[in-house]
């Protein structure tokens, strides 16, 4: 399921569809269209949600 920016909150688990090798990510912060995610294999990344649609992994954490 694609993540809608208003649904993302710190703690949400996501995946980057174009970079599956980054592994599972946990949202650290959301400010406007910018989200900071800590990925297992890539580390902390700031993404622009107007450019990329992250995939929600487990909506129970949001």
């Amino acid at each position: 399921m694609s993540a809608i920016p208003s649904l993302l909150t710190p703690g949400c688990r996501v995946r980057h569809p174009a970079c599956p090798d980054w592994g599972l990510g946990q949202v650290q912060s959301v400010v406007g269209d910018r989200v900071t995610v800590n990925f297992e294999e890539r580390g902390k990344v700031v993404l622009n949600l107007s450019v990329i649609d992250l995939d929600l992994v487990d909506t129970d954490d949001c």
Side-chain angles (χ1 to χ4, degrees), residues 39-55:
F39 288 97
E40 294 172 323
E41 302 299 326
R42 176 72 167 107
K44 203 170 279 191
V45 179
V46 178
L47 300 166
N48 186 337
L49 293 176
S50 65
V51 177
I52 185 70
D53 288 326
L54 295 173
D55 293 330

Side-chain angles (χ1 to χ4, degrees), residues 21-61:
D21 56 316
W22 288 6
L24 187 62
Q26 184 178 35
V27 174
Q28 304 296 299
S29 67
V30 181
V31 179
D33 283 345
R34 302 216 182 259
V35 61
T36 302
V37 181
N38 191 17
F39 288 97
E40 294 172 323
E41 302 299 326
R42 176 72 167 107
K44 203 170 279 191
V45 179
V46 178
L47 300 166
N48 186 337
L49 293 176
S50 65
V51 177
I52 185 70
D53 288 326
L54 295 173
D55 293 330
L56 278 173
V57 174
D58 188 356
T59 57
D60 292 339
D61 291 335

